[in-house]
Amino acid sequence: MYRSHTCGELTRSDIGKDVTLAGWAAKIRTMGGMAFIDIRDRYGITQLAFNDGYNPELLKKAAAIGREFVIQAVGKVAERESKNLQMPTGEIEIIVTELTILNSAKTPPFLIENDTDGGDDLRMQYRYLDLRRETVRNNMLLRHNLAQAVRQHLSTAGFIEVETPVLIKSTPEGARDFVVPSRLNPGQFYALPQSPQTFKQLLMVSGFDRYFQIVKCFRDEDLRADRQPEFTQIDCEMSFVEREDILQVFEGLTKQLFTTVRGVDLPEVPRMSYADAMCYYGSDKPDIRFDMRFVPLNQVAQGKGFGVFDNAEAVIGICAPGAAVYTRKQLDELTDFMKRPQIGATGLIYCRVEADGSLKSSVDKFFDQEALKLWAEACNAKPGDLILVLAGDLHKVRKQMNELRLEMGSRLGLRDPFNYKPLWVVDFPLLEQDEESGRWHAMHHPFTSPLPEDVPLMNTDPGAVRANAYDLVINGVEVGGGSIRIHDRALQERMFELLGFTPDQARAQFGFLMDAFEFGAPPHGGIAFGFDRLCSLFGGSDSIRDYIAFPKNNSGRDVMIDAPSALDSAQLDELSVSVKKG
Amino acid sequence: MYRSHTCGELTRSDIGKDVTLAGWAAKIRTMGGMAFIDIRDRYGITQLAFNDGYNPELLKKAAAIGREFVIQAVGKVAERESKNLQMPTGEIEIIVTELTILNSAKTPPFLIENDTDGGDDLRMQYRYLDLRRETVRNNMLLRHNLAQAVRQHLSTAGFIEVETPVLIKSTPEGARDFVVPSRLNPGQFYALPQSPQTFKQLLMVSGFDRYFQIVKCFRDEDLRADRQPEFTQIDCEMSFVEREDILQVFEGLTKQLFTTVRGVDLPEVPRMSYADAMCYYGSDKPDIRFDMRFVPLNQVAQGKGFGVFDNAEAVIGICAPGAAVYTRKQLDELTDFMKRPQIGATGLIYCRVEADGSLKSSVDKFFDQEALKLWAEACNAKPGDLILVLAGDLHKVRKQMNELRLEMGSRLGLRDPFNYKPLWVVDFPLLEQDEESGRWHAMHHPFTSPLPEDVPLMNTDPGAVRANAYDLVINGVEVGGGSIRIHDRALQERMFELLGFTPDQARAQFGFLMDAFEFGAPPHGGIAFGFDRLCSLFGGSDSIRDYIAFPKNNSGRDVMIDAPSALDSAQLDELSVSVKKG
C-alpha cells in the first residue's frame, strides 16, 4: 500500500505519528523558505509542509511539483500554526521527510475545483478530470448510497434481485429499440431492453413473488436535453397484490430513502387522480410544493363582451401570492414568456389585487370592480396577490397554464429543490387516441390492467377506461410509475386487439407471455423508478447527466472515448450486415 | 393483498387463527369425502383440507382444481392428524371455508418438481415454469444472497459502486464485440463492453480510489457448453495499491462470502506461481482439493531401451492413491479415455504397487523391479497405489496429464464440490506468442503491468516477462483474475507496440486512456470475478446456466422469447444498415 492513512482522516489526535500519504497535489504555495502542498484524495485534503531550514533538498523537490501531480509523502503529523477549522484535517499538517512523485501531470484543461472554468464540452471530453471535482464525485457517492439503500430496504422486505437479459427481442410497439446483429444467427438481431417488463412478469408467473433489479435500460429516441440513450431503473414487481399494497410498499421505500440518505422525514404521500391533476395543475405530474391551483373562471368571466373569453372553451386563472407588485415590465416579460413558440399562448390577462383591495386588470374595459371581485373571490385572492388568466381550448390552456404556474412558482421562490413534496397520481386513462390515425395507444404500456370496474368499457368506450396505474411524482418530477398488470390471456388479447395488433402480430411478439398466463399466472403488479432522475432529485439538481459517471451528449455520443465509431468491413461482414450510404 | 400469510410461515403456534393464503396448487389428493391440496408459493407449502361433512360444495370445488392453478383459500389453522416433521408447516393444515380460483392452468409440459421429467430444450422453452421448481429457485436465491453480500462487504470496505456505460466503442483487440448501429450517427456503431476495464481505470484517474460494480459484460464468441454471450462480473479496482494489497482485500471478500452465504470458514489462501502450477498440475488453474502432483520421471525412466520414454521430451507420472486394485478393464478404459481426440495421448503406462510392495507395470519388458522401485520412490507411492505415466512433448504431456489427474481425482471421489480449496495463481507470463504468426498477445489484457523487475526484459526477451497478475482459482475453476495496471503512458505505448499496434492504431482505440495517464494517474490495480461461475461454485454445480434466470442456448438463442429475430426493413433503413444475403 502506498499510504498508511487517507488524506481525510488525520486530526489533532494523530499529532506526532509517522504517516505516509498518497494523492494529488491540489494546491502548491511556495513562500521564501517554505512550501505547502495540499494533497487531495477522495477522502479529503491534508496540508504537507516543507521547510528550508529543515530540509532544503526536499523544499526544492516540492517546488518542482505541479498541480495534479500524483505524489507520496512520508512525514510526521504536527499541529498547524494557522488552523482551518472548516475542514476535519485543518488543525494539522505533515512535516514531510520524504517526497516521491508517483506520476506527473500536464496542466489540466480546466480547474479541478467546484467552480470550474471548464465548459460543458471540455468537461465531457475530459470527464475523468471532471469526475475529480468534489461536487461531481459527491454526486456519484450519493448515487452509490442511494443504490445500496434501495437494495438493503428491498432485500429486507423479501424482494429478490434477479438479473434479466440484455440481449432480447425487438418489439416495434413503443419507443425505438437499439438492436444488435447476431453473428451466429445471420440476418437476425437482438434488441436491448427498454425495460425488463415481460421478464419481470414471467418471474411472477414463476412464483418469485417479489422481484427487484437496478438495471440499465435503453431507448433509441431523439435525445432531448435530459434524456440518455441508456438509463437506469429500479425495477420492481410483486405478486398477489392490489394497487394499495404497491403504493404502501413503495411509499415505504421512498420514505426510507429520504430518511437514510437525506435525513428528511417525509409525510404520508397524498394521492390525486389523473383527472384532478389535469384539472387543477394542467399536468399529470403536478409540483405541489406550492398551491396556485387552477381556478375555472368560465362562469364569472364569460358573457361580458370580451371575445377572447366568450369564444373560449376554457377560462382559467391562478392566483400568484404577493405578486401584485409586479411592474408592467415584469408582466410584459411574463407575457412574452407565454408567447414563445414552445408555449404558444396568444396573450396573458392579469388582475392585481391592490393593497387597498381595489382591482386593476388588463381588461378593465370589459370588467368593472364588481366583475373583477368575482374573479378574486373565485381565486381566493387577497390584497397583494396577482391573478393571471388564460383562455382558449381547454387542453391547450391547461398546458400553457401549467407552464405559467411553474414559472411563477420559480419566480416567487416557491420551488426549493430540497423541500420534497411527493404525490401519487392514480387512475390514468388506459388508452390515448392518436388524433390523426384514430389509433389507440397504451398510455403506460400494453400490459397495464384496466381498473376492474372499467373493464366493460373496453368494448363500448375505450377512451373512458381508467388504468390500474400510478405514478410517484416528487416536486413536479415523475420519479416512478407502474401498474397492476393483466394476468389473464383473454384480457391481454383484447388489449392487443384494441391497440391494433392482429392476433398473429400479438402472438409473434408476445406469445411467450400470453402462453405463460395459461400456466398459472398470479395477480401481480409493479413499479419502476427512474434511478438517474431519483439521484438528481436527491441532489437537488435538474440535470440527470451530473449523476451519471460517463453520460452521452445530445447526439448520443460519448465524446471522451469517441463512440459510436465506424467499423471495418471485415467486422461487418462477419455480422452479415452492411452500411447503407445515405 | 390476496393473503394474510405466505405458504411457508404457519406453524403450531398459529393454530386457531383465521388466515388467507394464495399460491399454486402443487398436489391435489381426493379420497372419499375428503380432499387435500398442497398450496405452494416461494416461501413454502401448506396443506389445505376440505371435508365432505363440513362443506360438500367446497369439496366439489376443490376436486375441480388442477395442478398449478392459482388459488386463494380462506380458513382456520388446525393441527394436522398425520404430521410431516420434515417441513416447517408440517404440523398444521388449513380447514378451508372459502376457495377462489385466481387463475386456472393448463397441464404443464413437465413436472414442476425437483426431479422433473422435462428435457433441457423443453425446460428452456418454458423457463418460467422451470424457474418454479424449488432447486432452480434456490439457485436464484443463492445468487441474490451472494450479490447482496458482495455489495455489503465492498461498500463497508469503502468501495463505491459506479455504473459504467453499456454503449461504448468497439476495439478489435481481444474477443469479438457485439455491436449496435447508431441511428443518430449513421454508419457508426456502439459496442457492448467485454468488461468495463478502461472505464474503471479512468475512475482511478478520477480519484475514486475504490470502485466496484456487479455488471453485465458481453462477448460474441462461438459458444461452448458453459459460455454465455452475456455474463456478469464483479468488477473491482483500487488505487495506491500493490499486488499484496489486492490479494489481501479480495481474499477477505472471498472468505466473507463463504462465511456469510455457505457457513464455511476458508483457511488462508495459498499462492502458487504460474510456473509451478504448470509444472506440478499442468494447468494454470489447478484443482488442489487433492494432491496427485506431477512427478518428473525422465531421470529414472529414460535410458532403459524403451523408445517411448527415451525419445520423449518429458516423462511424467502421478500416483493415484489406492488405485492398484484397478482391473485390466478399468486400466483399458482409462487408456481409451486418454486416447480420445480431445486429449490425444498415444498411450498410458501404469505401474501397480501391490500390497506386498512388489511392482507390476505395463512395461515390465523394459523395467525390472529395481528400475520400477525408482519410479515408486520418485512418486512416493505406497503399497496399493497406482502410478500412471505419460511421455512425449512437455507441453502436450502436461495438458494430457492434467486431464488424467482430474479424471482420477473424480474417479477416486477426491473432488467433493462442497470442499472448497482456493488458490492464488501469480506471476503469469505477460505475453504469449502465436505460433503461426509469431505475434505477441497479452495473456491477460494490454493494460496489465509487467512485474517491475521484469520491465527491462520487454526489450530483450518479451516472452520471459512476468505479469503483475493473479487469478483466484477455487477447485480448479478460475473464479477471478486481475492485475496491477500500467499507469504510465510510455509503458502503455511500449506495450501496444509489442502487441503489434501502430502508434496511430493505439491512439485511435485507446488514446483517451493514454491521455488520461498524463493528467495524474495513480498506481492502481484490480480484479474481476465471474459472478455466474461464482454462483455455480457456491451451489456445488458445474453449470453456470442453472444460475442464470434466462440463459441462452449454445447458438446464443433465447428459445423462450425466440430471440434473436429478423427485423423489418423499415427498422433497418432507419439504422442505415442492411442484411447481406449469405
Side-chain angles (χ1 to χ4, degrees):
Chain A
M1 193 71 95
Y2 285 79
R3 66 190 174 206
S4 63
H5 295 77
T6 71
C7 299
E9 64 179 305
L10 295 170
T11 61
R12 286 191 71 87
S13 63
D14 298 298
I15 287 171
K17 275 189 194 157
D18 292 313
V19 299
T20 307
L21 299 186
W24 286 261
K27 270 189 195 152
I28 302 119
R29 283 155 296 153
T30 52
M31 36 183 85
M34 283 163 29
F36 297 98
I37 297 178
D38 280 353
I39 185 170
R40 184 196 65 223
D41 66 11
R42 181 182 123 199
Y43 312 95
I45 289 177
T46 299
Q47 180 168 295
L48 304 177
F50 302 84
N51 195 312
D52 198 4
Y54 179 72
N55 191 334
E57 274 309 302
L58 212 55
L59 180 65
K60 217 186 276 171
K61 207 168 176 184
I65 280 173
R67 260 204 297 140
E68 302 302 323
F69 274 42
V70 184
I71 55 173
Q72 183 189 40
V74 178
K76 203 181 270 296
V77 184
E79 187 164 3
R80 202 149 131 184
E81 218 160 274
S82 64
K83 298 192 172 51
N84 177 351
L85 298 176
Q86 303 303 307
M87 48 194 284
T89 60
E91 293 187 77
I92 59 98
E93 63 189 6
I94 313 298
I95 308 296
V96 178
T97 53
E98 271 178 59
L99 180 67
T100 309
I101 295 174
L102 298 175
N103 215 341
S104 63
K106 293 202 296 194
T107 306
F110 52 86
L111 283 176
I112 312 287
E113 284 172 18
N114 286 350
D115 285 324
T116 180
D117 54 351
D120 204 47
D121 289 349
L122 202 58
R123 288 191 293 113
M124 284 302 127
Q125 191 189 337
Y126 296 94
R127 180 64 166 172
Y128 49 86
L129 296 178
D130 197 34
L131 285 166
R132 217 181 265 176
R133 297 191 303 129
E134 193 186 6
T135 44
V136 188
R137 189 174 62 236
N138 284 345
N139 292 349
M140 297 305 135
L141 280 167
L142 172 68
R143 188 178 177 112
H144 165 79
N145 288 334
L146 264 172
Q148 307 316 314
V150 166
R151 292 207 186 84
Q152 199 134 21
H153 183 87
L154 291 176
S155 295
T156 306
F159 286 78
I160 305 179
E161 192 171 8
V162 181
E163 291 173 59
T164 52
V166 176
L167 297 171
I168 65 166
K169 180 169 159 169
S170 188
T171 52
E173 169 74 11
R176 269 189 219 89
D177 286 325
F178 283 106
V179 299
V180 180
S182 165
R183 183 178 54 86
L184 294 175
N185 303 273
Q188 301 193 338
F189 294 76
Y190 302 99
L192 304 182
Q194 298 184 27
S195 95
Q197 183 62 33
T198 50
F199 289 96
K200 67 176 175 173
Q201 292 194 242
L202 291 178
L203 287 173
M204 295 303 105
V205 176
S206 299
F208 275 68
D209 206 69
R210 296 184 159 206
Y211 143 91
F212 84 101
Q213 191 182 189
I214 300 186
V215 60
K216 274 278 174 77
C217 300
F218 306 86
R219 240 169 252 179
D220 184 13
E221 289 175 297
D222 294 319
L223 300 169
R224 295 194 309 234
D226 215 23
R227 284 263 180 91
Q228 288 281 319
E230 52 178 300
F231 55 97
T232 305
Q233 279 190 1
I234 308 172
D235 194 50
C236 308
E237 198 79 3
M238 300 173 77
S239 288
F240 299 115
V241 290
E242 292 160 303
R243 181 171 85 185
E244 186 57 30
D245 305 307
I246 304 232
L247 299 192
Q248 292 290 343
V249 167
F250 292 98
E251 190 166 322
L253 169 66
T254 307
K255 284 184 179 181
Q256 174 74 54
L257 293 181
F258 273 96
T259 308
T260 312
V261 179
R262 284 230 65 97
V264 169
D265 282 325
L266 287 192
E268 197 181 333
V269 179
R271 298 175 191 185
M272 190 183 292
S273 71
Y274 172 86
D276 280 355
M278 294 310 290
C279 174
Y280 295 121
Y281 300 93
S283 166
D284 59 0
K285 36 181 188 281
D287 183 346
I288 59 165
R289 278 173 296 186
F290 61 104
D291 198 16
M292 236 187 264
R293 283 184 165 215
F294 293 5
V295 180
L297 294 178
N298 290 40
Q299 266 197 319
V300 298
Q302 287 180 327
K304 299 285 176 181
F306 181 44
V308 172
F309 285 177
D310 290 353
N311 301 325
E313 185 186 359
V315 184
I316 295 177
I318 57 171
C319 172
V325 294
Y326 263 44
T327 61
R328 182 65 206 219
K329 191 166 161 252
Q330 285 175 299
L331 287 163
D332 285 349
E333 259 175 42
L334 217 51
T335 307
D336 290 344
F337 170 82
M338 294 301 293
K339 282 181 169 172
R340 289 179 313 150
Q342 301 96 303
I343 300 185
T346 49
L348 174 63
I349 312 294
Y350 69 82
C351 173
R352 293 198 189 95
V353 188
E354 308 286 6
D356 62 0
S358 70
L359 299 152
K360 174 74 197 117
S361 84
S362 54
V363 287
D364 281 357
K365 220 198 296 183
F366 301 97
F367 297 89
D368 58 15
Q369 288 290 312
E370 208 59 31
L372 292 176
K373 213 166 177 181
L374 294 174
W375 294 22
E377 276 166 15
C379 293
N380 199 19
K382 290 177 189 49
D385 291 354
L386 174 71
I387 298 168
L388 295 166
V389 184
L390 293 170
D393 169 71
L394 174 65
H395 181 68
K396 277 188 195 156
V397 171
R398 280 181 171 174
K399 271 183 90 161
Q400 292 162 358
M401 190 53 107
N402 170 48
E403 298 290 344
L404 180 60
R405 177 180 174 272
L406 293 176
E407 175 67 16
M408 288 308 297
S410 297
R411 287 181 182 230
L412 296 172
L414 303 172
R415 302 179 73 192
D416 171 6
F418 295 106
N419 173 27
Y420 295 101
K421 294 290 180 204
L423 173 73
W424 286 112
V425 178
V426 298
D427 294 346
F428 284 80
L430 183 68
L431 303 161
E432 34 185 11
Q433 198 160 26
D434 184 71
E435 281 184 28
E436 253 173 64
S437 67
R439 270 191 64 176
W440 292 106
H441 293 285
M443 193 153 181
H444 200 68
H445 56 51
F447 313 106
T448 300
S449 175
L451 283 181
E453 60 267 38
D454 287 2
V455 171
L457 290 174
M458 289 175 82
N459 295 321
T460 55
D461 186 3
V465 178
R466 287 165 302 167
N468 208 344
Y470 31 80
D471 274 1
L472 179 64
V473 174
I474 305 183
N475 296 0
V477 172
E478 183 200 321
V479 166
S483 62
I484 297 296
R485 323 299 183 186
I486 296 169
H487 66 283
D488 174 78
R489 179 170 190 132
L491 186 57
Q492 187 66 67
E493 280 176 345
R494 176 71 188 118
M495 183 69 179
F496 281 130
E497 193 185 350
L498 270 176
L499 297 174
F501 285 67
T502 67
D504 278 352
Q505 285 169 333
R507 202 174 311 118
Q509 288 176 38
F510 299 108
F512 62 96
L513 185 66
M514 293 194 289
D515 287 348
F517 287 170
E518 294 194 295
F519 286 105
H524 62 284
I527 195 166
F529 295 88
F531 188 55
D532 308 300
R533 177 73 58 211
L534 193 71
C535 292
S536 73
L537 186 82
F538 269 74
S541 162
D542 283 338
S543 160
I544 63 169
R545 205 181 287 184
D546 293 345
Y547 294 80
I548 296 173
F550 299 101
K552 295 196 171 49
N553 74 8
N554 284 351
S555 333
R557 294 200 70 81
D558 183 326
V559 294
M560 180 184 71
I561 62 171
D562 192 27
S565 60
L567 300 183
D568 65 32
S569 56
Q571 203 172 352
L572 293 172
D573 285 348
E574 270 201 319
L575 298 170
S576 306
V577 299
S578 58
V579 168
K580 276 188 200 158
K581 305 297 172 205
Chain B
M1 195 69 98
Y2 284 79
R3 66 190 174 205
S4 63
H5 296 76
T6 71
C7 300
E9 64 179 306
L10 295 170
T11 61
R12 286 191 72 88
S13 62
D14 299 297
I15 287 170
K17 274 189 194 158
D18 293 312
V19 299
T20 306
L21 299 186
W24 286 262
K27 272 191 192 149
I28 302 119
R29 284 154 296 153
T30 52
M31 37 184 82
M34 282 162 28
F36 297 98
I37 298 178
D38 279 352
I39 185 170
R40 184 197 65 224
D41 66 11
R42 180 182 123 197
Y43 312 95
I45 289 178
T46 300
Q47 179 167 297
L48 305 177
F50 302 85
N51 193 313
D52 197 6
Y54 179 73
N55 191 333
E57 273 310 302
L58 211 55
L59 181 65
K60 215 185 277 171
K61 208 169 175 184
I65 280 174
R67 258 203 301 141
E68 302 303 321
F69 273 41
V70 184
I71 56 174
Q72 182 188 40
V74 179
K76 203 180 271 297
V77 183
E79 187 164 2
R80 204 150 130 182
E81 219 159 272
S82 63
K83 298 191 173 49
N84 177 350
L85 298 177
Q86 302 305 305
M87 47 194 286
T89 60
E91 294 188 78
I92 58 100
E93 63 188 6
I94 312 297
I95 308 296
V96 178
T97 53
E98 270 179 61
L99 180 67
T100 308
I101 295 173
L102 297 175
N103 214 341
S104 63
K106 294 202 295 196
T107 305
F110 52 85
L111 283 176
I112 312 288
E113 283 171 20
N114 286 350
D115 285 323
T116 180
D117 54 352
D120 204 47
D121 289 350
L122 201 59
R123 288 190 294 111
M124 283 303 128
Q125 189 188 340
Y126 295 94
R127 181 65 166 171
Y128 48 88
L129 296 178
D130 196 34
L131 284 167
R132 217 180 263 173
R133 298 191 302 129
E134 194 186 4
T135 44
V136 187
R137 188 174 65 236
N138 284 346
N139 291 349
M140 298 305 135
L141 279 168
L142 172 67
R143 188 177 177 111
H144 164 80
N145 289 334
L146 265 173
Q148 307 314 313
V150 167
R151 291 207 187 83
Q152 200 132 20
H153 182 85
L154 291 177
S155 296
T156 306
F159 285 79
I160 305 178
E161 191 173 7
V162 181
E163 293 173 57
T164 52
V166 176
L167 297 171
I168 65 166
K169 180 167 158 169
S170 188
T171 52
E173 168 76 8
R176 268 189 219 92
D177 285 325
F178 283 106
V179 299
V180 181
S182 166
R183 183 178 54 86
L184 295 175
N185 303 275
Q188 301 192 338
F189 293 76
Y190 302 100
L192 305 183
Q194 297 183 27
S195 97
Q197 183 62 32
T198 51
F199 290 96
K200 68 175 175 174
Q201 292 193 243
L202 290 178
L203 287 173
M204 295 303 105
V205 176
S206 298
F208 275 69
D209 205 72
R210 297 185 157 204
Y211 143 92
F212 83 102
Q213 190 181 189
I214 299 186
V215 61
K216 274 276 173 80
C217 300
F218 307 85
R219 239 169 252 179
D220 184 12
E221 289 175 296
D222 294 321
L223 299 169
R224 294 198 307 235
D226 215 25
R227 284 264 180 91
Q228 288 281 316
E230 52 178 300
F231 55 97
T232 305
Q233 278 189 2
I234 308 171
D235 194 50
C236 308
E237 198 79 2
M238 299 173 78
S239 289
F240 299 114
V241 289
E242 292 160 302
R243 183 171 83 185
E244 185 57 31
D245 306 307
I246 303 229
L247 298 192
Q248 291 291 343
V249 167
F250 291 98
E251 190 165 322
L253 169 66
T254 307
K255 282 184 179 179
Q256 174 74 52
L257 293 181
F258 273 96
T259 307
T260 312
V261 178
R262 283 230 66 96
V264 169
D265 282 326
L266 287 193
E268 198 182 333
V269 179
R271 298 175 191 184
M272 190 182 292
S273 71
Y274 171 86
D276 280 354
M278 294 309 291
C279 173
Y280 296 120
Y281 300 93
S283 165
D284 60 359
K285 33 181 190 281
D287 183 346
I288 59 165
R289 278 174 296 185
F290 60 104
D291 197 14
M292 236 188 264
R293 284 184 166 215
F294 293 7
V295 180
L297 294 178
N298 291 39
Q299 267 198 316
V300 298
Q302 288 180 327
K304 301 284 176 182
F306 181 44
V308 172
F309 285 177
D310 290 353
N311 303 325
E313 183 185 1
V315 183
I316 295 178
I318 57 172
C319 171
V325 295
Y326 263 44
T327 60
R328 181 68 206 219
K329 190 164 164 256
Q330 283 174 300
L331 288 163
D332 285 348
E333 257 175 43
L334 216 50
T335 307
D336 290 344
F337 170 82
M338 292 303 292
K339 283 182 170 172
R340 289 179 315 149
Q342 301 97 302
I343 298 183
T346 48
L348 175 63
I349 312 293
Y350 68 82
C351 172
R352 294 198 191 95
V353 188
E354 308 286 6
D356 61 3
S358 68
L359 298 153
K360 173 78 197 111
S361 85
S362 52
V363 286
D364 281 357
K365 220 197 297 183
F366 301 95
F367 298 88
D368 58 15
Q369 288 292 311
E370 208 58 31
L372 292 176
K373 214 167 178 182
L374 294 175
W375 295 21
E377 273 165 19
C379 294
N380 199 18
K382 291 175 188 53
D385 292 352
L386 175 70
I387 297 169
L388 296 166
V389 183
L390 293 172
D393 169 70
L394 175 65
H395 181 67
K396 276 189 196 154
V397 170
R398 279 180 172 177
K399 271 182 89 161
Q400 292 162 359
M401 190 53 107
N402 171 48
E403 298 290 344
L404 179 60
R405 176 179 175 272
L406 293 176
E407 175 67 16
M408 287 309 296
S410 297
R411 286 181 183 228
L412 297 173
L414 302 173
R415 302 178 75 193
D416 172 6
F418 294 106
N419 173 27
Y420 296 102
K421 294 290 181 207
L423 172 73
W424 287 113
V425 179
V426 298
D427 295 345
F428 285 81
L430 184 69
L431 302 161
E432 34 183 13
Q433 197 161 24
D434 185 71
E435 282 184 29
E436 254 173 65
S437 67
R439 271 192 63 175
W440 293 107
H441 293 286
M443 194 153 180
H444 200 67
H445 56 52
F447 314 106
T448 299
S449 175
L451 284 181
E453 61 267 37
D454 286 3
V455 171
L457 290 174
M458 288 175 83
N459 296 320
T460 55
D461 185 4
V465 178
R466 286 166 302 167
N468 208 343
Y470 30 80
D471 274 2
L472 180 64
V473 174
I474 304 183
N475 296 1
V477 172
E478 182 200 323
V479 166
S483 62
I484 298 297
R485 324 298 183 187
I486 296 169
H487 66 283
D488 175 77
R489 182 173 187 131
L491 186 58
Q492 187 67 67
E493 280 175 346
R494 176 73 188 117
M495 183 69 179
F496 282 129
E497 194 186 348
L498 269 177
L499 297 174
F501 285 65
T502 67
D504 278 352
Q505 285 170 334
R507 202 175 310 119
Q509 288 175 39
F510 299 109
F512 62 96
L513 185 66
M514 293 193 290
D515 287 347
F517 287 171
E518 294 194 294
F519 287 105
H524 62 284
I527 195 168
F529 295 89
F531 188 54
D532 308 301
R533 177 73 57 208
L534 194 70
C535 292
S536 73
L537 186 82
F538 270 74
S541 162
D542 282 338
S543 160
I544 64 169
R545 203 183 288 184
D546 292 346
Y547 294 80
I548 296 173
F550 300 101
K552 296 195 170 49
N553 74 8
N554 284 352
S555 336
R557 295 200 70 80
D558 182 327
V559 294
M560 180 186 72
I561 63 171
D562 192 26
S565 59
L567 299 183
D568 66 31
S569 56
Q571 202 171 349
L572 292 172
D573 286 346
E574 270 200 319
L575 298 170
S576 306
V577 299
S578 58
V579 168
K580 277 191 201 155
K581 305 298 173 204

